[in-house]
Structure formats: structure tokens, C-alpha cells
Amino acid sequence: MSWEADMNLIEIKQIMFNEMYDKIHWNGEKSGKYYHGERVAKLALRLKTYIQPDNGEYDNIITVAGWFHDVKNGTEEHALAGAERTKLLLAEHCSEWEMREIYDIIYKH
């Protein structure tokens, strides 16, 4: 059984929508943060299938990190600010292990 069995991606995606849908991305596109996060998550999962095609253990972690990686773009130190914001937003939706992994990915992007 995977560590991420308890993650509810539907609830987490709703949080992403509420947090980012009406936000403008760096390119000036309204709702750009939301759609950019979706594109990055899909691309990251696609890349992962080339590296580890038979291992889906981190798929939810990768997806959520992709969704939230630019939650605070446009701010100084946006990777750190985004990791911290994501930690606050998802505290009740992820295990400690999941949150550490998501935080680390966002912080290092």
C-alpha cells in the first residue's frame, strides 16, 4: 500500500482552484497560475513515466507539487514562499511524510 493512499486529490485540487484560479501568472494570463500548475503536473508525471514507468508511488506527490509550485510566483524567494504557503493550505489534507515531499519539491524547483 502506498503512503499516499489517504490523499484526496479532488479536495486538494479544489484548494488549488480557490487559491489560484483568479490569479494572474507572470505571463499576464488571467487564471494562468491555475492552468500553469495543471500543465506542469501533467508534464512532470509524463516525464516520470519515462524514468520509472512501473512505479506510481509518488504520482500524487508529483501531481500536487506541480499544481502548487508557483502558488507564490512573482514574489521574492517564490520557491520558499510557495512551499510555505502550500504547507499551510494542505496541512489537513496530507500526511507529514507527503507534506515533506511536496514541500521539498516546491522549495527546490
Side-chain angles (χ1 to χ4, degrees), residues 39-73:
R39 287 189 300 270
V40 167
K42 287 178 185 175
L43 177 60
L45 281 177
R46 190 171 189 189
L47 290 171
K48 196 258 340 161
T49 64
Y50 295 117
I51 299 165
Q52 290 190 323
D54 299 324
N55 183 354
E57 182 178 1
Y58 280 82
D59 286 3
N60 287 350
I61 299 291
I62 292 167
T63 297
V64 173
W67 285 346
F68 285 89
H69 81 282
D70 271 350
V71 69
K72 295 298 270 184
N73 79 318

Side-chain angles (χ1 to χ4, degrees), residues 7 10 23 30 32 49 54 80 88 101:
M7 279 180 82
I10 294 169
K23 302 298 190 295
K30 187 170 183 189
T49 64
D54 299 324
L80 173 60
L88 289 173
E101 296 294 313

